Amino acid sequence: MGKVSKSFIYFFGALGGILFGYDTGVISGAILFIQKQLSLNTWQQGWIVSGVLFGAIFGAAIIGPLADKVGRRLLVLVAAIIFFIGAIGCGLAPEFWSLLLFRFILGIAVGGASTLVPMYLSEVAPAEMRGSLSSLNQLMIMSGILLAYITNYSWQGMYHGWRVMLAAAAVPALILFIGALFLPESPRFLVKVGKIDQARGVLGQLRTADKVEEELADIEKQAQVKSGGFKELFSKYVRPALVIGVGLAIFQQIMGCNTVLYYAPTIFTDIGFGVSAALLAHIGIGVANVIVTIVAVLIMDKVNRKVMLVVGAIGMALSLFTLGIAMAYSQNSMSAAWIAAIALTVYICFFSATWGPVMWVMIGEVFPLNIRGLGVGFSGCVNWIANMLVSLTFPTLLASLGTEKLFIGYGVFCLLAVWFVKSGVFETRGKTLEEIEDHLHAVSVKE
Ligand code: BGC
């Protein structure tokens, strides 16, 4: 296979994120039409929406151990094929059960990509740019979500529009497959399976000549440790990494981000806007998210990850409290509706600039090489379970508690997240993956 440029590797390494974003974002608009044409009851609608989340739990769970066995690159190709089959299958599905099956299949690829992409990016990136390059994943997710909102808006007038909305994901899936054919394997995986010369070749593509041998020697040293399983994952030495992986994964979801991303139009109509204003506001949120994610990519290697997490959680908490107070005293006034809409947008921007990218970046870098796939997969799986629980309980909680109490509740979780970051997370910015691993060793010896 011919050599490709660094930007090609980073772009196609991150592209799986677009499908993650598109396939999770598209359903919010498509379901309005699917429900009518396939005569779905509310229970069936819920399943079509969360079918992808359910599949993603499995995808994230199986991808880690597989990535440690067969490598990262082959799995990107397999994920692209599953994305393609899932998209076409959803577009053609004649009734509820087949649609659910293909949404589940899509979910396997979404969950797989959600952990594979940051893992691959963090392993090919040089330490000083690892944060920015790994957060390209989040930029792709956000771009995928925005693309989905725009597709939804454009095809809403057509009877079979929802089929186009769902099947359109086959195009980026095909592009991902073709691009991934030219991607090199991660140098860290190559060393792990003893292909030192190939690893040297890949590092030569990615680093200046003077850096290659030094980094290779570091990777070889760490790779001598035998691949581990769940016993190692739960061992004392890996525990600080596991606490970070699982803790960040849970907090990222229970702070409520996806309630806004999945249900923003519903929330906007609830607080007093008309339907088409709500759909347009949704696109506005999508654009704002892409812009702040670009800012996050640019600052990721200049600002400590912990600072980003703390500032993000405080900003999210304050926006949610403002939203709650505005709703509580609104008496259905339009000015309160505006304050609430602005607070919601500020909240989601804080998320997209901080917790969105930082969580995936950090779970890609904290685990030692000999169980990285397992650790990242496990944390990703926990993130999808938390995502599904929050998304499934949201409509019921909204109906029983009301917007103000519910969002103040998510705000309290944001404050708890500040405490968690301050007490349970160590800094990773600027360190090589091997230095992070040495830190884990040092901590376990000290205890
Ligand atoms: C989160 C997803 C979310 C996406 C878009 C990701 O970092 O894990 O749950 O849907 O960002 O905001």
Side-chain angles (χ1 to χ4, degrees), residues 401-416:
L401 296 176
T403 323
E404 58 273 22
K405 286 206 192 93
L406 181 55
F407 280 102
I408 287 179
Y410 292 136
V412 172
F413 283 132
C414 294
L415 294 183
L416 285 176

Side-chain angles (χ1 to χ4, degrees), residues 43-362:
W43 178 85
Q44 289 172 317
Q45 285 172 46
W47 274 105
I48 295 298
V49 174
S50 44
V52 159
L53 304 183
F54 208 60
I57 295 173
F58 286 92
I62 54 174
I63 205 89
L66 274 180
D68 283 343
K69 283 211 177 63
V70 303
R72 295 31 170 161
R73 177 182 170 272
L74 178 65
L75 290 179
V76 177
L77 286 166
V78 174
I81 297 175
I82 304 179
F83 271 128
F84 185 85
I85 297 174
I88 300 288
C90 284
L92 296 176
E95 37 66 64
F96 168 73
W97 286 107
S98 47
L99 182 57
L100 181 60
L101 175 72
F102 283 110
R103 289 279 297 161
F104 179 79
I105 290 176
L106 258 187
I108 295 179
V110 168
S114 73
T115 50
L116 198 57
V117 171
M119 187 184 351
Y120 180 80
L121 289 174
S122 71
E123 290 187 341
V124 291
E128 67 282 4
M129 285 167 67
R130 195 180 55 240
S132 291
L133 290 172
S134 306
S135 47
L136 285 180
N137 175 45
Q138 186 72 18
L139 185 57
M140 291 287 186
I141 298 176
M142 285 307 183
S143 310
I145 291 182
L146 177 60
L147 232 102
Y149 292 169
I150 296 173
T151 317
N152 283 351
Y153 195 73
S154 324
W155 291 92
Q156 60 178 328
M158 199 182 128
Y159 186 69
H160 285 302
W162 66 271
R163 294 193 182 277
V164 181
M165 295 171 192
L166 298 186
V171 179
L174 194 63
I175 298 175
L176 174 65
F177 182 81
I178 297 171
L181 285 174
F182 298 92
L183 279 181
E185 180 51 91
S186 144
R188 283 164 169 89
F189 176 77
L190 287 170
V191 170
K192 206 159 87 71
V193 291
K195 298 185 174 164
I196 310 293
D197 280 340
Q198 278 187 41
R200 182 177 287 114
V202 176
L203 279 175
Q205 262 173 285
L206 294 161
R207 308 281 186 271
T208 48
D210 57 320
K211 297 268 172 62
V212 172
E213 289 308 322
E214 188 193 336
E215 189 164 341
L216 193 61
D218 272 354
I219 303 176
E220 276 186 86
K221 199 177 113 214
Q222 304 288 9
Q224 275 160 11
V225 186
K226 219 172 98 268
S227 279
F230 276 99
K231 199 166 147 247
E232 281 75 15
L233 185 63
F234 290 101
S235 67
K236 188 174 143 211
Y237 150 57
V238 182
R239 199 170 305 140
L242 190 65
V243 168
I244 295 180
V246 171
L248 292 182
I250 294 177
F251 273 111
Q252 195 209 40
Q253 294 300 324
I254 61 175
M255 294 192 293
C257 63
N258 282 313
T259 62
V260 176
L261 285 160
Y262 298 168
Y263 293 100
T266 318
I267 301 170
F268 279 130
T269 48
D270 273 6
I271 60 183
F273 289 92
V275 173
S276 73
L279 278 178
L280 265 179
H282 207 194
I283 296 188
I285 288 191
V287 174
N289 275 334
V290 170
I291 295 172
V292 296
T293 311
I294 294 176
V295 175
V297 170
L298 295 176
I299 63 168
M300 187 67 81
D301 287 310
K302 301 193 176 70
V303 182
N304 278 352
R305 318 254 196 269
K306 283 182 73 170
V307 172
M308 291 181 76
L309 291 172
V310 168
V311 171
I314 293 177
M316 289 163 78
L318 291 179
S319 324
L320 289 177
F321 294 148
T322 310
L323 172 95
I325 294 167
M327 295 312 295
Y329 297 101
S330 71
Q331 288 154 344
N332 295 331
S333 80
M334 213 45 217
S335 47
W338 272 105
I339 297 178
I342 293 169
L344 208 65
T345 311
V346 173
Y347 158 81
I348 200 66
C349 284
F350 266 111
F351 168 80
S352 303
T354 60
W355 279 80
V358 176
M359 193 267 335
W360 292 108
V361 169
M362 286 195 85

